[in-house]
Amino acid sequence: PAPAEAGRAPGPPDGGWGWVVVFGAFISIGFAYAFPKGLAIFFKEIQDFFGTSYSEIAWVSSIMLATTYGAGPISSILVNRYGSRPVVMFGGLLCGLGMISAAFCTSILQLYICVGFITGFGLALNLQPSVIIIGKYFLKRRPIANGLAMAGSPVMLCTLAPLNQFLFDNFGWRGSFLILGAILLNCCVAGALFRPIGAGTALVKTQVTEEGKDALKGKITEDGKEMSSALNVPMENKIEDEGEKDCFEKINQYLDFSLFKHRGFLIYLIGNVLMFLGFFAPIVFLAPYAKHTGVDEYSAAFLLSILAFVDMVARPTTGIVANSKWVRPRIQYFFSFAIAFNGACHLLCPLASSYTGLLVYSSCFGLAFGMVCAMLFETLMDLVGAARFTSAVGLVTIAECCTILLGPPIGGILIDTFGDYKYMFIKCGAVMVLAGSFLFIMNYYNYRMLAKEEKKRKTKEEDPKSVRTKNEDRKNWNKDSTQNGPELEPLREEGEGVKKEMNGT
């Protein structure tokens, strides 16, 4: 038999090769978030080329963002099946293929397919695995690692905004798409850095598991035949029941639908679905808004660079603050404040009537945007734990894709209807202030309920009459701690590994 430690996955190293993984995630997450925003530089010219409206051209970014988020469950399933490295490399190939194909499009519908669906799906295969693998490499320093990886978005946006304008001036939008498709192939290089943890012990664990399953299956079959002959019960019905159970367990292994019974997860999901209705539209229309007010092309692109530069500093700084002993125990409140602050910036944007005012707005927007993005996945992992995070990301992103898809086109409809951008900014600001307020109130309720449940559990343990049910309460508490106590996940997984080895499976 294999030694007891052979099949046990090692704990997060919190350093070492993990920082190389953070660099790879920095690149892939940067492209996933920044690329749809950087394409806004071409929208005015593509709109004139095809003769479309603001709302029609906004669908390009909306479909790309919605596909990136909506394909979250598919990405999560592929990561659970094949690992992060091959999924990210395949996603990089799809991104390059989509943009190169877009350079030969002759209608806006073809742009929807090539840029929206193909490139968006490739970005989805870059985003989810990069976030997931950071949670496997880091535990104590996870907020800092997430903040550094998320800083890839503003760095890429800061670079792509002037680069796209330069490419357009020299090669046109078709030639620019060809070059951008080649640049996106660097995601394959980033994915190659995602070395899986515990690769050496995975083969041993698989062999031990398969041998244990075969032995257990043979024993169950023999015992089942004896019992069925004694009780005159058909053996085939039992085998069918076991097969159905195994099928359900396989589905639940990839996507844990029991998360919809998790109170904290549902609060996070509702608040984020509402938030994304106004999250991306201001970035998509910032450069066109500046051009509409009479600002030249390079100055309009510079607004995105200012936003990205402030965002670049805000994300790792937010990660350091969120990792402090004062903020991390109540990080959900900090996240709620960041969303409300983001909405307040949009509400004040119509007051910026000059280019100086737009620079101030871009700076404040970059700070608020960086705070939200730095904690977007950290708060989810804080709620559900590292073990269930892969399924949680997939379920959250597919729920968010609807509002992500509708956000920019609704903003475009408001612009087409009223002929003014201020109504779009007011709509986005009001929605985000509402989402931040909802999350703050409901997280306060969640923390109160968790404290009451903890107090009730301690009271039951101290009560002499509860000795009989002590073991049952302990099992329930272990289940609750899995949902609400993510820091206990490595210990719980280690304990389950020992139990499985002792049972011969």
Side-chain angles (χ1 to χ4, degrees):
E5 289 80 9
R8 196 179 307 167
D14 274 306
W17 188 262
W19 297 117
V20 180
V21 172
V22 169
F23 175 72
F26 176 91
I27 297 174
S28 56
I29 291 175
F31 278 119
Y33 276 120
F35 195 77
K37 307 165 196 170
L39 286 181
I41 299 295
F42 304 101
F43 281 178
K44 183 67 176 174
E45 287 72 24
I46 295 176
Q47 180 182 351
D48 295 337
F49 184 85
F50 290 114
T52 59
S53 63
Y54 282 103
S55 58
E56 288 176 329
I57 196 65
W59 278 104
V60 176
S61 287
S62 294
I63 293 174
M64 181 186 292
L65 289 168
T67 306
T68 302
Y69 278 77
I74 300 175
S75 180
S76 299
I77 291 173
L78 292 175
V79 170
N80 283 331
R81 181 66 180 86
Y82 301 105
S84 294
R85 176 186 281 175
V87 174
V88 173
M89 295 178 72
F90 179 65
L93 290 175
L94 281 182
C95 291
L97 177 64
M99 290 305 298
I100 292 172
S101 302
F104 302 96
C105 292
T106 57
S107 67
I108 192 69
L109 180 61
Q110 294 175 1
L111 278 181
Y112 292 161
I113 296 173
C114 296
V115 179
F117 289 108
I118 299 178
T119 306
F121 184 66
L123 294 178
L125 299 184
N126 278 271
L127 177 61
Q128 317 290 356
S130 303
V131 176
I132 291 168
I133 199 168
I134 290 176
K136 294 181 179 179
Y137 268 91
F138 291 90
L139 179 61
K140 294 180 180 179
R141 301 176 181 174
R142 193 177 63 214
I144 300 176
N146 275 324
L148 291 173
M150 289 293 179
S153 174
V155 171
M156 292 295 179
L157 182 59
C158 186
T159 307
L160 284 174
L163 175 64
N164 287 349
Q165 190 64 52
F166 172 78
L167 292 176
F168 175 76
D169 291 340
N170 290 273
F171 304 102
W173 68 269
R174 293 187 184 274
S176 300
F177 280 13
L178 283 173
I179 297 173
L180 290 174
I183 292 175
L184 282 174
L185 293 177
N186 285 285
C187 294
C188 301
V189 182
L193 301 176
F194 292 170
R195 179 189 299 169
I197 291 184
T201 60
L203 183 59
V204 177
K205 181 177 179 181
T206 305
Q207 291 176 351
V208 172
T209 304
E210 292 299 326
E211 291 175 0
K213 281 183 178 179
D214 293 338
L216 188 61
K217 189 185 294 183
K219 185 177 180 182
I220 289 174
T221 305
E222 293 176 0
D223 294 343
K225 287 180 179 179
E226 294 175 0
M227 187 176 293
S228 60
S229 60
L231 299 178
N232 294 324
V233 178
M235 186 65 188
E236 290 77 5
N237 295 337
K238 296 183 179 180
I239 296 176
E240 289 178 1
D241 294 339
E242 291 294 330
E244 292 177 359
K245 185 177 179 182
D246 291 342
C247 182
F248 177 77
E249 287 177 352
K250 287 180 180 179
I251 296 174
N252 202 54
Q253 177 185 357
Y254 294 122
L255 288 176
D256 188 3
F257 291 100
S258 65
L259 284 166
F260 287 107
K261 298 180 181 179
H262 192 294
R263 185 173 58 242
F265 174 78
L266 289 176
I267 293 171
Y268 177 92
L269 180 64
I270 295 172
N272 276 257
V273 166
L274 183 61
M275 176 194 73
F276 276 107
L277 195 60
F279 192 60
F280 289 112
I283 297 182
V284 172
F285 289 107
L286 179 58
Y289 173 53
K291 295 178 182 178
H292 178 75
T293 57
V295 177
D296 61 275
E297 289 82 358
Y298 278 95
S299 297
F302 183 68
L303 289 175
L304 290 175
S305 299
I306 290 292
L307 186 151
F309 181 76
V310 178
D311 190 4
M312 187 191 317
V313 179
R315 296 198 188 200
T317 305
T318 303
I320 294 172
V321 173
N323 198 45
S324 64
K325 61 181 180 180
W326 299 283
V327 178
R328 189 167 185 180
R330 293 293 183 267
I331 194 173
Q332 306 296 333
Y333 291 148
F334 193 29
F335 182 57
S336 305
F337 165 76
I339 295 174
F341 176 48
N342 206 319
C345 293
H346 302 325
L347 290 175
L348 296 176
C349 178
L351 300 178
S353 56
S354 63
Y355 186 69
T356 304
L358 289 176
L359 287 174
V360 174
Y361 165 72
S362 299
S363 302
C364 295
F365 184 22
L367 175 61
F369 192 85
M371 291 172 64
V372 173
C373 291
M375 294 183 291
L376 190 62
F377 294 108
E378 174 60 31
T379 49
L380 179 59
M381 194 178 294
D382 176 75
L383 287 170
V384 303
R388 307 173 77 184
F389 179 68
T390 304
S391 296
V393 170
L395 295 174
V396 165
T397 52
I398 195 172
E400 292 170 346
C401 72
C402 297
T403 50
I404 292 172
L405 179 66
L406 296 176
I410 290 175
I413 291 173
L414 290 175
I415 297 171
D416 292 332
T417 303
F418 298 100
D420 197 340
Y421 283 79
K422 68 178 182 180
Y423 297 102
M424 185 273 299
F425 285 105
I426 292 173
K427 183 270 296 184
C428 295
V431 167
M432 295 200 68
V433 169
L434 178 63
S437 303
F438 169 82
L439 284 174
F440 189 89
I441 295 171
M442 294 307 296
N443 281 320
Y444 175 76
Y445 166 77
N446 188 34
Y447 281 132
R448 288 288 300 272
M449 292 299 295
L450 290 175
K452 288 182 180 180
E453 291 167 2
E454 171 72 7
K455 185 177 180 180
K456 186 177 180 181
R457 183 190 66 83
K458 289 183 177 179
T459 304
K460 283 186 178 182
E461 286 184 350
E462 294 173 358
D463 188 4
K465 295 181 181 179
S466 63
V467 175
R468 283 180 167 180
T469 59
K470 188 174 181 180
N471 293 331
E472 184 179 351
D473 291 340
R474 187 176 298 170
K475 291 179 181 178
N476 293 333
W477 169 244
N478 288 336
K479 184 178 179 180
D480 293 339
S481 64
T482 302
Q483 297 177 350
N484 299 316
E487 306 303 334
L488 299 179
E489 288 295 334
L491 299 178
R492 186 183 69 83
E493 292 176 356
E494 185 176 351
E496 288 184 353
V498 174
K499 284 182 182 179
K500 289 180 179 180
E501 290 159 8
M502 291 175 64
N503 292 332
T505 60

Coordinates of all heavy atoms in Angstrom, one line a residue, residues 58-112:
A58 N -22.6 49.2 -29.2 CA -22.3 48.8 -27.8 C -22.5 47.3 -27.6 O -21.9 46.8 -26.6 CB -23.2 49.6 -26.9
W59 N -23.3 46.7 -28.5 CA -23.5 45.2 -28.3 C -22.2 44.5 -28.5 O -22.1 43.3 -28.0 CB -24.5 44.8 -29.3 CG -25.9 45.0 -28.9 CD1 -26.8 46.0 -29.3 CD2 -26.7 44.2 -27.9 NE1 -28.0 45.9 -28.7 CE2 -28.0 44.8 -27.8 CE3 -26.4 43.2 -27.1 CZ2 -28.9 44.4 -26.9 CZ3 -27.4 42.7 -26.2 CH2 -28.6 43.3 -26.2
V60 N -21.2 45.0 -29.2 CA -19.9 44.3 -29.4 C -19.3 44.0 -28.1 O -18.9 42.9 -27.7 CB -19.0 45.1 -30.4 CG1 -17.7 44.4 -30.5 CG2 -19.6 45.3 -31.7
S61 N -19.1 45.1 -27.3 CA -18.5 44.9 -25.9 C -19.4 44.1 -25.0 O -18.9 43.3 -24.2 CB -18.2 46.3 -25.3 OG -17.1 46.9 -26.0
S62 N -20.7 44.4 -25.1 CA -21.6 43.7 -24.2 C -21.6 42.2 -24.5 O -21.6 41.4 -23.5 CB -23.1 44.2 -24.5 OG -23.2 45.5 -24.0
I63 N -21.7 41.7 -25.7 CA -21.6 40.3 -26.0 C -20.3 39.7 -25.6 O -20.3 38.6 -25.0 CB -21.9 40.1 -27.5 CG1 -23.3 40.5 -27.9 CG2 -21.6 38.6 -27.9 CD1 -23.6 40.4 -29.4
M64 N -19.2 40.4 -25.8 CA -17.9 39.9 -25.4 C -17.9 39.7 -23.8 O -17.4 38.7 -23.3 CB -16.8 40.9 -25.8 CG -15.4 40.4 -25.4 SD -14.1 41.6 -25.8 CE -14.1 41.5 -27.6
L65 N -18.3 40.8 -23.1 CA -18.3 40.7 -21.6 C -19.2 39.6 -21.1 O -18.9 38.9 -20.2 CB -18.6 42.0 -21.0 CG -17.6 43.1 -21.2 CD1 -18.2 44.5 -20.8 CD2 -16.4 42.8 -20.3
A66 N -20.4 39.6 -21.7 CA -21.4 38.6 -21.3 C -20.9 37.1 -21.6 O -21.2 36.2 -20.8 CB -22.8 38.8 -22.0
T67 N -20.3 36.9 -22.7 CA -19.7 35.6 -23.0 C -18.6 35.3 -22.0 O -18.5 34.1 -21.6 CB -19.2 35.6 -24.5 OG1 -20.3 36.0 -25.3 CG2 -18.8 34.2 -24.8
T68 N -17.8 36.3 -21.7 CA -16.7 36.0 -20.8 C -17.2 35.6 -19.4 O -16.7 34.7 -18.8 CB -15.9 37.3 -20.6 OG1 -15.3 37.7 -21.9 CG2 -14.7 37.1 -19.6
Y69 N -18.3 36.2 -19.0 CA -18.9 35.8 -17.7 C -19.8 34.6 -17.8 O -19.9 33.8 -16.9 CB -19.6 37.0 -17.1 CG -18.7 38.0 -16.4 CD1 -17.9 38.9 -17.1 CD2 -18.6 38.0 -15.0 CE1 -17.1 39.8 -16.5 CE2 -17.8 38.9 -14.4 CZ -17.0 39.8 -15.1 OH -16.2 40.7 -14.5
G70 N -20.6 34.6 -18.9 CA -21.6 33.5 -19.0 C -21.0 32.1 -19.2 O -21.6 31.1 -18.9
A71 N -19.8 32.1 -19.8 CA -19.1 30.8 -20.0 C -18.3 30.4 -18.7 O -17.5 29.4 -18.8 CB -18.1 30.9 -21.1
G72 N -18.6 31.0 -17.6 CA -17.9 30.7 -16.4 C -18.1 29.2 -15.9 O -17.1 28.5 -15.6
P73 N -19.3 28.7 -16.0 CA -19.5 27.2 -15.6 C -18.7 26.3 -16.5 O -18.1 25.3 -16.1 CB -21.0 27.0 -15.7 CG -21.6 28.4 -15.5 CD -20.6 29.3 -16.1
I74 N -18.7 26.6 -17.8 CA -17.9 25.8 -18.8 C -16.5 25.8 -18.4 O -15.8 24.8 -18.4 CB -18.2 26.2 -20.2 CG1 -19.7 26.1 -20.6 CG2 -17.3 25.4 -21.2 CD1 -20.0 26.7 -21.9
S75 N -16.0 27.0 -18.1 CA -14.6 27.1 -17.7 C -14.3 26.4 -16.4 O -13.2 25.8 -16.3 CB -14.2 28.6 -17.6 OG -12.9 28.8 -17.3
S76 N -15.2 26.5 -15.5 CA -15.0 25.8 -14.2 C -14.9 24.3 -14.4 O -14.1 23.6 -13.8 CB -16.1 26.2 -13.2 OG -16.0 27.6 -12.9
I77 N -15.8 23.8 -15.2 CA -15.8 22.3 -15.5 C -14.5 21.9 -16.1 O -14.0 20.9 -15.8 CB -17.1 22.0 -16.3 CG1 -18.4 22.1 -15.5 CG2 -17.0 20.5 -16.8 CD1 -19.6 22.0 -16.3
L78 N -14.1 22.7 -17.1 CA -12.8 22.3 -17.8 C -11.6 22.4 -16.9 O -10.7 21.5 -17.0 CB -12.6 23.3 -19.0 CG -13.6 23.1 -20.2 CD1 -13.3 24.2 -21.2 CD2 -13.5 21.7 -20.8
V79 N -11.6 23.4 -15.9 CA -10.5 23.4 -15.0 C -10.5 22.2 -14.0 O -9.5 21.6 -13.7 CB -10.6 24.8 -14.2 CG1 -9.6 24.7 -13.0 CG2 -10.3 25.9 -15.1
N80 N -11.7 21.8 -13.6 CA -11.8 20.7 -12.7 C -11.4 19.4 -13.4 O -10.9 18.5 -12.8 CB -13.3 20.5 -12.2 CG -13.6 21.5 -11.1 OD1 -12.7 21.9 -10.3 ND2 -14.8 21.9 -11.0
R81 N -11.6 19.4 -14.7 CA -11.3 18.1 -15.5 C -9.9 18.1 -16.0 O -9.2 17.1 -15.9 CB -12.3 18.1 -16.7 CG -12.1 16.8 -17.6 CD -12.5 15.6 -16.8 NE -12.3 14.4 -17.6 CZ -11.2 13.7 -17.8 NH1 -10.1 14.2 -17.2 NH2 -11.1 12.6 -18.5
Y82 N -9.4 19.2 -16.5 CA -8.0 19.2 -17.1 C -7.0 20.1 -16.4 O -5.8 20.0 -16.7 CB -8.1 19.7 -18.6 CG -9.1 18.9 -19.4 CD1 -10.3 19.3 -19.8 CD2 -8.7 17.6 -19.9 CE1 -11.2 18.5 -20.5 CE2 -9.5 16.8 -20.6 CZ -10.8 17.3 -21.0 OH -11.6 16.5 -21.7
G83 N -7.4 21.0 -15.5 CA -6.4 21.8 -14.9 C -6.4 23.2 -15.5 O -6.9 23.4 -16.6
S84 N -5.8 24.2 -14.9 CA -5.8 25.6 -15.3 C -4.9 25.8 -16.6 O -5.2 26.5 -17.5 CB -5.3 26.5 -14.2 OG -6.2 26.5 -13.2
R85 N -3.7 25.1 -16.6 CA -2.7 25.3 -17.7 C -3.3 25.1 -19.1 O -3.2 26.0 -19.9 CB -1.5 24.5 -17.4 CG -0.4 24.6 -18.5 CD 0.7 23.7 -18.3 NE 1.6 24.2 -17.3 CZ 2.7 23.5 -16.8 NH1 2.9 22.3 -17.3 NH2 3.5 24.0 -15.9
P86 N -3.8 23.9 -19.4 CA -4.3 23.7 -20.8 C -5.5 24.5 -21.1 O -5.7 24.9 -22.3 CB -4.6 22.2 -20.8 CG -4.8 21.8 -19.4 CD -3.9 22.7 -18.6
V87 N -6.3 24.9 -20.1 CA -7.5 25.7 -20.4 C -7.1 27.1 -20.8 O -7.7 27.6 -21.8 CB -8.4 25.7 -19.2 CG1 -9.6 26.6 -19.4 CG2 -9.0 24.3 -18.9
V88 N -6.2 27.7 -20.1 CA -5.7 29.0 -20.4 C -5.0 29.1 -21.8 O -5.2 30.0 -22.6 CB -4.8 29.6 -19.3 CG1 -4.2 30.9 -19.7 CG2 -5.6 29.7 -18.0
M89 N -4.2 28.1 -22.1 CA -3.5 28.0 -23.4 C -4.5 27.9 -24.5 O -4.4 28.6 -25.6 CB -2.5 26.9 -23.4 CG -1.4 27.1 -22.4 SD -0.2 25.7 -22.3 CE 0.6 26.0 -23.9
F90 N -5.5 27.1 -24.4 CA -6.6 26.9 -25.4 C -7.4 28.2 -25.5 O -7.7 28.6 -26.6 CB -7.5 25.8 -25.1 CG -8.6 25.6 -26.0 CD1 -8.4 25.2 -27.4 CD2 -9.9 25.8 -25.7 CE1 -9.4 25.0 -28.3 CE2 -11.0 25.6 -26.6 CZ -10.7 25.2 -27.9
G91 N -7.6 28.9 -24.4 CA -8.3 30.2 -24.5 C -7.5 31.2 -25.2 O -8.1 32.1 -26.0
G92 N -6.2 31.3 -25.1 CA -5.4 32.2 -25.8 C -5.5 32.0 -27.3 O -5.5 32.9 -28.1
L93 N -5.5 30.7 -27.7 CA -5.7 30.4 -29.2 C -7.0 30.9 -29.7 O -7.1 31.5 -30.8 CB -5.5 28.9 -29.4 CG -4.1 28.3 -29.2 CD1 -4.2 26.8 -29.3 CD2 -3.2 28.9 -30.2
L94 N -8.1 30.7 -28.9 CA -9.4 31.2 -29.3 C -9.4 32.7 -29.5 O -10.0 33.3 -30.4 CB -10.5 30.7 -28.3 CG -11.0 29.3 -28.4 CD1 -12.0 29.0 -27.4 CD2 -11.5 29.0 -29.8
C95 N -8.8 33.4 -28.5 CA -8.7 34.9 -28.6 C -8.1 35.4 -29.8 O -8.6 36.3 -30.5 CB -8.0 35.4 -27.4 SG -8.9 35.2 -25.8
G96 N -6.9 34.8 -30.2 CA -6.2 35.2 -31.4 C -7.0 34.9 -32.6 O -7.1 35.7 -33.6
L97 N -7.7 33.7 -32.7 CA -8.5 33.3 -33.8 C -9.6 34.3 -34.0 O -10.0 34.7 -35.1 CB -9.0 31.9 -33.6 CG -9.9 31.3 -34.7 CD1 -9.1 31.2 -36.0 CD2 -10.4 30.0 -34.3
G98 N -10.3 34.6 -32.9 CA -11.5 35.5 -33.0 C -11.1 36.9 -33.5 O -11.8 37.4 -34.4
M99 N -10.0 37.5 -33.1 CA -9.7 38.8 -33.5 C -9.1 38.8 -35.0 O -9.4 39.8 -35.7 CB -8.6 39.4 -32.6 CG -9.1 39.8 -31.2 SD -10.6 40.9 -31.3 CE -9.9 42.3 -32.0
I100 N -8.4 37.8 -35.3 CA -7.9 37.7 -36.7 C -9.1 37.5 -37.7 O -9.1 38.1 -38.8 CB -6.9 36.5 -36.9 CG1 -5.6 36.9 -36.1 CG2 -6.6 36.3 -38.3 CD1 -4.6 35.7 -36.0
S101 N -10.1 36.7 -37.3 CA -11.3 36.6 -38.1 C -12.1 37.9 -38.2 O -12.7 38.2 -39.3 CB -12.2 35.5 -37.5 OG -11.5 34.2 -37.4
A102 N -12.1 38.7 -37.1 CA -12.8 39.9 -37.1 C -12.3 40.9 -38.1 O -13.0 41.8 -38.6 CB -12.8 40.5 -35.7
A103 N -11.0 40.8 -38.4 CA -10.4 41.7 -39.4 C -11.0 41.6 -40.8 O -10.8 42.5 -41.6 CB -8.9 41.5 -39.4
F104 N -11.6 40.5 -41.1 CA -12.2 40.2 -42.4 C -13.7 40.3 -42.4 O -14.4 40.0 -43.4 CB -11.8 38.9 -42.9 CG -10.3 38.7 -43.0 CD1 -9.6 38.1 -41.9 CD2 -9.6 39.2 -44.1 CE1 -8.2 37.9 -42.0 CE2 -8.2 39.0 -44.1 CZ -7.5 38.4 -43.1
C105 N -14.3 40.9 -41.3 CA -15.8 41.0 -41.2 C -16.3 42.0 -42.2 O -15.7 43.1 -42.4 CB -16.2 41.3 -39.8 SG -15.9 39.9 -38.7
T106 N -17.5 41.8 -42.7 CA -18.1 42.8 -43.6 C -19.5 43.3 -43.1 O -20.1 44.0 -43.8 CB -18.4 42.1 -45.0 OG1 -19.2 40.9 -44.8 CG2 -17.0 41.7 -45.7
S107 N -19.9 42.9 -41.9 CA -21.1 43.4 -41.3 C -21.0 43.4 -39.8 O -20.1 42.8 -39.2 CB -22.3 42.5 -41.7 OG -22.2 41.2 -41.1
I108 N -21.8 44.1 -39.1 CA -21.8 44.3 -37.7 C -22.2 42.9 -37.0 O -21.7 42.6 -35.9 CB -22.7 45.4 -37.2 CG1 -22.5 45.7 -35.7 CG2 -24.2 45.0 -37.4 CD1 -21.2 46.4 -35.5
L109 N -23.0 42.1 -37.7 CA -23.4 40.8 -37.2 C -22.2 39.9 -37.1 O -22.0 39.1 -36.1 CB -24.5 40.2 -38.0 CG -25.0 38.8 -37.6 CD1 -25.6 38.9 -36.2 CD2 -26.0 38.3 -38.6
Q110 N -21.3 39.9 -38.1 CA -20.1 39.1 -38.1 C -19.2 39.6 -37.0 O -18.5 38.7 -36.4 CB -19.4 39.2 -39.5 CG -20.2 38.6 -40.6 CD -19.6 38.8 -41.9 OE1 -18.5 39.4 -42.1 NE2 -20.2 38.3 -43.0
L111 N -19.1 40.9 -36.7 CA -18.3 41.3 -35.6 C -18.9 40.8 -34.2 O -18.1 40.5 -33.3 CB -18.3 42.9 -35.5 CG -17.3 43.6 -36.4 CD1 -17.5 45.1 -36.2 CD2 -15.9 43.1 -36.1
Y112 N -20.2 40.7 -34.1 CA -20.8 40.1 -32.9 C -20.3 38.7 -32.7 O -20.0 38.3 -31.6 CB -22.3 40.1 -33.0 CG -23.0 41.5 -33.0 CD1 -24.3 41.6 -33.5 CD2 -22.3 42.6 -32.5 CE1 -24.9 42.8 -33.5 CE2 -23.0 43.8 -32.5 CZ -24.3 43.9 -33.0 OH -24.9 45.2 -33.0

